[in-house]
Amino acid sequence: MSAVTALRGGRIFDPAQGRAGDGADLFFADGRIISAPHGSPAARDIDVSGKVVMAGGIDMHSHIAGGKVNIARSLMIADQRENPDARAGGLRSGGLRSGGGRAGPTTFTTGYRYAELGYTAVFEPAMVPANARHAHAELADTPMIDKGCYVMLGNDDCFLRLLARGAAASELADYVAWMMRATQAIAVKVVNPGGISAFKFNGRSLHFDDPSPFYEITPRRIVTALATALRDLGVVHPLHIHANDLGLPGNVETTLATIAAADGLPIHLTHLQFHSYGTEGDRRFSSAAARIAEAVNRSRHVSVDIGQVMFGQTVTASGDTMSQYRNRRFASPKKWVCMDIECDGGCGLVPFRYRDQNFVNALQWAIGLELFLLIEDPWRVFLTTDHPNGAPFTTYPHLIRLLMDKGFRDSMLATIHPEAAAASTLGSIRREYSLDEIAIITRAGPARILGLADRGHLGAGAAADITVLADDPDREAMFSRPALVFKDGTQVVRDGRVIASVQGGTHVTEPAYDRAIESRIDSFFAENLTVRAGNFRISDDQVAESGPRFAHPCAGSALA
Amino acid sequence: MTVTEDARHREVVCPFCGLGCDDLTLSPAGGGFAVDAGGCPISAARFALVVPPAAGARVAGAEVAPGQAIARAAALLAASRLPLVGGLAADRAGLSAALALAERTGAVVDHSGAAALHRNLPAARETGWMVTTLSEVRNRCDLFLALGPDPATAFPRLAERALPVAPTLFSAVPLARPRLRIGPGAGAEGGIECPPGRLLEAVTLLRAVLGGRLPPSAARAGWDLAPFETLTERLRAATYPVLAWNAGAMDFPGADLVILGASEIVRDLNEKGRAAALPLGGAENLVGAAQIALWQAGYPLRHAYGPGGIEHDPRRFETARLLSSGEADALVWIAALRGEVTLPETAVPTILLAPPGLSLPREPDVFLPVGTPGIDHAGLVFRSDGVVSLPLRRLRETALPSVAQTLAAVIAALPGASS
């Protein structure tokens, strides 16, 4: 064993091990947490007494790489100019690289800024199959953090044709497994089920039980078929669903119908805030957070992330061309991009400025917080802003303070559009998140829902991904500037600044499939598309060339 | 010579024009490769090139050991106040190394084809656009309208790959897909004849007719409106019309506004139906260079690494201007994709990375021979549409290093290199 490092006297918040702030020493060596070593003293003792010690943060839904993120960077030229990230000395000192951006940060800046917030793993949730090679190439240039991607299925013509001709569940599962492996994905996401395809046929809306243009398949069928395939394959992360009708007043009914349609099949509802809208009040836009939270609370097969909105400039980046085309009129600044992609999917980019004096934006902010506070089981809710859609990820410390500090939350509530504040129950909600609960929604929970057995906790054998925080009663200040961050045992951050560049790994899932599907997929590509299947498929070597490739077993759903 | 089946390479990706054909069959022929299937004039010429016997590095025209050439390149860059890393015809790894070298030396970064890219920016970046990709065109496009010169010149297999008369995913009978054009020589094809200098008028007119906002002066401008009215009807009747252009062939004043107008026509059509734009381009991996520059530096080329961070300016950081003004005082030119080596004419110290055996407009101060991605080593390039990137394989054993390896050696030879 090589040199042991000891973190002495910290208060350890490790929910996976049932530790909530007890004082203890933490040891690691060779990049792994170890039990207290016998005999010989640690080679390196670091006094962290009184400080809070957590595993490295895991962001399970953040758009950080791939074609649409690059289009976002291109559109958001002011975001680059106003947020330069000059890393003094560049390659001359410590190997850091310059970059910039806040809503659309460059790859290097993304890695550094996440590390500086104590995060050590981030998952790109919307990888279009045709763009998978690009997404992985970009993530290879994203330092500091582990990565992984959710491949977008359910609007791809190959899958829709299988479904339309009544393919057996086993064939659908084989296709899903082949796609996950070909694109080196850890999970599967469906975006506006059927809606992206419908938009290509000039469909401008597709509700949950509407037959889609051409295929005449309902979103309900797509959701249940994909969720069934993932359950059958034993993929740990449930189907990651960006539901139909995003952003539309009244979409609470779609969201509740999606939960009901799963009928016990594990599902994950992403950026739930954007799917929790009612139609009450003079403005026909209201919070349905209470109804949604109640449904989530009683549905053990459902996990969610919130997609919290924060006020300020950002850019919305989504695979949901139907919604993004509809939202173009809200673009600020007035520019937007929509793209149809490769009989696979699409993407839409709409710059957006959330304003606290805008009734709708203010209520969106309140709805997200209501959901955080009304959903009872912290193991099934994850902290996200759907970066950059609700807000850049750099707002996380502020969000944590909103969750942990009712006085602060109420003071912010008093500053938003007064009618939105009046329309929200937020002021009456007393709950404050504890540090233990923050560790769950930012560490232990995301690791569990993704099947990362050796991440998100501090038990012996776990990766030494560790964040040490000064216990500041101002939780925003506390989480803005970790005292220390270790990635795989290497100290990478001191006092909130990156001091060393490291390269993380890529997490993938390797579901098994009947190889009979391969020749059918080869033919589909050769006859209908403009890339051969053999050139579409990403080799293990490409993913492994920049850092380790972590292949996870199909151990069964995290929510089973 | 007969070629055995085993010696053939199948489903080879062609990295040259930007269309990203990945269905080529190659067989070894006289040191290069013959394209047996999936070929075109561009791929045939570039895959046929052979490595000459004298393929070594050179300093001032004299062959030297590789280490000597690397050391000379590093010395020239170390003495430079503002180097320019240009050309950038390379695969992803080579481009990444070029950006690392640029940051390490405080250089400007530009691509030989960046002018085309920047012609698209008013539409792509200032207003945004609605675009599509080749497989969508292949399966959905039922009216193809090209603007400007015939894109078949730069992309010989465009029609075969994106517009075949064949059944599609959504049509069991071969899809009728008229191909129309507004541009020079288009009249002979049944399109609208238009010299480059009047394309802006034509596009403006088409948009006005489409929007029912016909300017009263239009007839006086010498245009026959009838073809525009017919075209408008056809665009409205199509289910997925595609407007395409090759910005690289639109080197005339106002081309950016022609592109903006075309993009606006597509957006107008989408108010009621569907339509999409297809900006063609990407020769010499221009699209890859722009993508990598965006994700690493935040800007689509023509940026500089300075002590205060990264600056971007499409005019200030343009190759010809930097060299003619004397601002750039050293040039690294990367031309690994076997095109014509358009090494700019300049008196500043020049370091060239290119495959050996190409004819050069002048001898550089330092010549560093490199292999070609997709022939001599593996790699990754982007396709015209910016979505699809393709894996390149190594097809033969040569001693030629890649751009990435070569530039890594240059970086390591710079004074004060930490590793």
Side-chain angles (χ1 to χ4, degrees):
Chain A
M1 181 183 296
S2 70
V4 174
T5 300
L7 301 181
R8 302 283 184 190
R11 294 173 56 213
I12 295 183
F13 287 85
D14 187 10
Q17 315 288 321
R19 304 171 73 178
D22 50 316
D25 297 341
L26 185 69
F27 303 91
F28 57 89
D30 296 323
R32 295 272 150 186
I33 309 281
I34 57 171
S35 312
H38 302 291
S40 59
R44 188 180 178 207
D45 262 342
I46 303 175
D47 179 10
V48 296
S49 51
K51 292 195 165 61
V52 168
V53 179
M54 293 184 180
I58 300 172
D59 192 342
M60 58 87 74
H61 188 110
S62 175
H63 299 276
I64 58 168
K68 71 182 181 312
V69 178
N70 243 1
I71 297 171
R73 293 182 185 113
S74 173
L75 280 178
M76 300 291 287
I77 187 163
D79 183 60
Q80 293 299 330
R81 293 214 159 112
E82 291 163 12
N83 298 282
D85 185 24
R87 296 279 165 170
L91 291 172
R92 289 170 203 273
S93 62
L96 302 195
R97 299 288 302 274
S98 295
R102 182 171 175 272
T106 60
T107 52
F108 303 123
T109 292
T110 296
Y112 302 149
R113 293 297 295 133
Y114 262 114
E116 287 168 348
L117 297 176
Y119 278 75
T120 51
V122 182
F123 291 82
E124 161 54 53
M127 175 173 70
V128 182
N131 190 243
R133 189 180 305 280
H134 168 177
H136 285 288
E138 210 174 310
L139 289 173
D141 285 346
T142 306
M144 314 306 291
I145 50 175
D146 285 352
K147 292 89 57 161
C149 299
Y150 312 161
V151 62
M152 276 170 58
L153 299 177
N155 284 286
D156 44 327
D157 286 300
C158 193
F159 179 81
L160 293 173
R161 280 162 76 93
L162 286 172
L163 208 53
R165 73 160 161 78
S170 61
E171 189 175 0
L172 294 173
D174 285 340
Y175 173 74
V176 169
W178 185 91
M179 265 294 176
M180 289 184 75
R181 297 191 69 149
T183 62
Q184 302 278 349
I186 188 173
V188 173
K189 183 194 199 187
V190 61
V191 173
N192 188 353
I196 302 170
S197 167
F199 184 65
K200 295 174 185 175
F201 293 99
N202 202 29
R204 300 297 164 112
S205 70
L206 190 71
H207 306 304
F208 199 59
D209 285 306
D210 290 349
S212 66
F214 186 77
Y215 292 108
E216 304 201 322
I217 297 171
T218 61
R220 178 186 296 274
R221 260 186 83 196
I222 296 170
V223 165
T224 52
L226 283 171
T228 302
L230 292 171
R231 181 202 56 194
D232 293 351
L233 292 168
V235 172
V236 174
H237 190 56
L239 178 63
H240 198 92
I241 302 172
H242 158 147
N244 302 84
D245 300 332
L246 178 141
L248 292 181
N251 64 14
V252 53
E253 305 304 339
T254 306
T255 308
L256 294 174
T258 304
I259 293 173
D263 193 24
L265 284 168
I267 58 170
H268 176 87
L269 297 172
T270 191
H271 39 69
L272 188 59
Q273 178 277 131
F274 290 107
H275 303 272
S276 300
Y277 304 150
T279 55
E280 291 164 17
D282 294 343
R283 297 168 191 264
R284 316 297 296 162
F285 180 75
S286 58
S287 170
R291 285 179 68 199
I292 296 281
E294 193 232 348
V296 172
N297 285 338
R298 69 177 137 77
S299 307
R300 305 295 303 173
H301 63 287
V302 175
S303 63
V304 307
D305 68 271
I306 301 301
Q308 177 66 33
V309 155
M310 299 289 205
F311 304 116
Q313 179 70 55
T314 192
V315 56
T316 62
S318 173
D320 189 346
T321 41
M322 179 184 275
S323 295
Q324 292 294 70
Y325 184 74
R326 190 168 54 224
N327 290 335
R328 71 195 185 284
R329 64 185 189 277
F330 301 120
S332 176
K334 288 211 167 298
K335 46 165 106 174
W336 50 273
V337 168
C338 279
M339 188 169 198
D340 299 324
I341 297 178
E342 284 299 278
C343 304
D344 248 3
C347 73
L349 294 300
V350 183
F352 197 84
R353 179 181 286 276
Y354 292 100
R355 294 172 166 87
D356 61 0
Q357 297 310 310
N358 171 292
F359 173 80
V360 170
N361 298 167
L363 195 53
Q364 288 179 300
W365 175 85
I367 290 168
L369 293 173
E370 289 173 13
L371 289 167
F372 268 117
L373 296 164
L374 294 174
I375 294 172
E376 292 159 2
D377 180 2
W379 289 93
R380 291 191 290 120
V381 56
F382 312 110
L383 186 143
T384 68
T385 56
D386 187 19
H387 164 85
N389 291 306
F393 68 82
T394 46
T395 59
Y396 285 176
H398 183 83
L399 174 54
I400 289 171
R401 186 174 184 197
L402 287 168
L403 297 177
M404 294 190 72
D405 184 340
K406 174 164 169 59
F408 177 66
R409 189 163 72 224
D410 287 347
S411 71
M412 295 305 294
L413 181 63
T415 66
I416 67 168
H417 191 288
E419 288 176 52
S424 169
T425 61
L426 187 60
S428 68
I429 302 175
R430 308 179 65 85
R431 181 176 173 193
E432 292 179 332
Y433 270 67
S434 64
L435 280 172
D436 184 51
E437 287 176 318
I438 293 296
I440 295 171
I441 67 172
T442 60
R443 271 102 173 142
R448 195 183 74 160
I449 204 70
L450 288 165
L452 312 177
D454 64 351
R455 309 272 158 180
H457 70 91
L458 298 171
D465 291 355
I466 305 165
T467 305
V468 179
L469 302 143
D471 191 2
D472 189 328
D474 176 347
R475 299 307 192 190
E476 182 173 353
M478 172 175 171
F479 282 93
S480 294
R481 216 174 107 121
L484 306 169
V485 179
F486 297 88
K487 176 81 189 90
D488 295 311
T490 301
Q491 189 185 336
V492 292
V493 170
R494 185 194 307 126
D495 295 331
R497 288 297 283 175
V498 168
I499 56 168
S501 183
V502 297
Q503 197 66 25
T506 302
H507 295 271
V508 303
T509 305
E510 293 188 335
Y513 58 87
D514 181 343
R515 296 193 63 171
I517 195 81
E518 289 182 342
S519 61
R520 273 169 275 164
I521 291 173
D522 286 350
S523 303
F524 179 84
F525 272 75
E527 288 163 19
N528 301 298
L529 304 182
T530 51
V531 177
R532 296 298 168 101
N535 287 321
F536 167 88
R537 189 172 181 147
I538 302 169
S539 69
D540 295 355
D541 291 344
Q542 184 194 319
V543 173
E545 72 190 20
S546 66
R549 176 180 177 276
F550 303 115
H552 294 281
C554 285
S557 172
L559 295 174
Chain B
M1 187 176 81
T2 56
V3 175
T4 64
E5 280 300 298
D6 290 343
R8 288 181 198 263
H9 301 278
R10 297 181 187 284
E11 297 195 344
V12 171
V13 174
C14 174
F16 300 119
C17 82
L19 203 58
C21 302
D22 72 336
D23 57 349
L24 279 67
T25 301
L26 304 187
S27 54
F33 294 91
V35 184
D36 300 332
C40 73
I42 296 171
S43 60
R46 299 206 192 175
F47 279 110
L49 275 173
V50 300
V51 181
R58 299 192 298 270
V59 170
E63 194 150 333
V64 297
Q68 255 180 288
I70 295 285
R72 181 67 187 143
L76 290 175
L77 289 171
S80 165
R81 192 180 34 80
L82 183 65
L84 168 61
V85 179
L88 296 189
D91 63 323
R92 165 212 168 195
L95 291 162
S96 204
L99 296 191
L101 175 70
E103 177 156 17
R104 179 68 178 74
T105 57
V108 173
V109 176
D110 190 15
H111 186 287
S112 55
L117 189 85
H118 288 95
R119 268 171 219 138
N120 282 327
L121 283 186
R125 184 165 76 179
E126 305 307 329
T127 61
W129 57 15
M130 289 187 80
V131 287
T132 192
T133 67
L134 293 181
S135 293
E136 296 288 1
V137 174
R138 182 182 173 107
N139 286 288
R140 295 181 187 277
C141 174
D142 56 353
L143 177 65
F144 186 82
L145 175 60
L147 298 163
D150 186 354
T153 312
F155 309 99
R157 296 183 68 206
L158 175 65
E160 177 201 339
R161 304 229 314 128
L163 300 161
V165 179
T168 70
L169 284 170
F170 315 113
S171 170
V173 297
L175 189 60
R177 35 172 124 231
R179 303 206 299 264
L180 304 174
R181 190 163 65 86
I182 304 176
E189 309 161 0
I192 298 177
E193 183 67 39
C194 179
R198 297 195 73 185
L199 265 172
L200 182 54
E201 286 172 48
V203 168
T204 305
L205 194 56
L206 178 60
R207 189 170 182 221
V209 173
L210 196 66
R213 301 183 307 267
L214 186 62
S217 61
R220 291 198 300 273
W223 290 99
D224 176 8
L225 286 187
F228 288 90
E229 283 160 353
T230 307
L231 181 56
T232 293
E233 285 162 26
R234 296 178 76 172
L235 286 169
R236 289 210 182 285
T239 57
Y240 197 87
V242 170
L243 270 67
W245 61 87
N246 171 19
M250 297 170 76
D251 187 9
F252 53 86
D256 54 345
L257 298 177
V258 172
I259 291 165
L260 185 60
S263 169
E264 290 303 302
I265 288 169
V266 168
R267 299 214 300 188
D268 292 348
L269 287 166
N270 275 286
E271 292 287 335
K272 290 211 168 60
R274 282 308 319 272
L278 184 71
L280 292 160
E284 316 299 339
N285 202 21
L286 170 63
V287 171
Q291 293 278 20
I292 293 164
L294 266 169
W295 84 55
Q296 287 199 4
Y299 300 109
L301 296 172
R302 294 189 179 165
H303 67 273
Y305 292 91
I310 300 168
E311 285 183 277
H312 163 69
D313 189 327
R315 283 174 293 278
R316 190 172 145 216
F317 297 136
E318 193 252 321
T319 293
R321 202 201 65 78
L322 283 171
L323 292 173
S324 63
S325 68
E327 284 172 58
D329 57 359
L331 174 66
V332 178
W333 194 256
I334 301 168
L337 287 166
R338 316 185 139 212
E340 189 192 346
V341 181
T342 54
L343 186 59
E345 199 48 57
T346 174
V348 306
T350 299
I351 300 152
L352 173 65
L353 283 72
L358 300 178
S359 80
L360 305 180
R362 63 187 173 86
E363 178 65 25
D365 297 86
V366 180
F367 176 75
L368 299 169
V370 292
T372 301
I375 297 178
D376 301 307
H377 62 84
L380 187 160
V381 289
F382 275 77
R383 203 170 77 175
S384 172
D385 53 38
V387 168
V388 174
S389 55
L390 292 156
L392 305 176
R393 303 199 296 264
R394 181 180 205 183
L395 303 180
R396 68 179 178 199
E397 298 281 326
T398 61
L400 292 168
S402 66
V403 169
Q405 290 167 326
T406 304
L407 293 183
V410 173
I411 291 171
L414 288 167
S418 53
S419 56

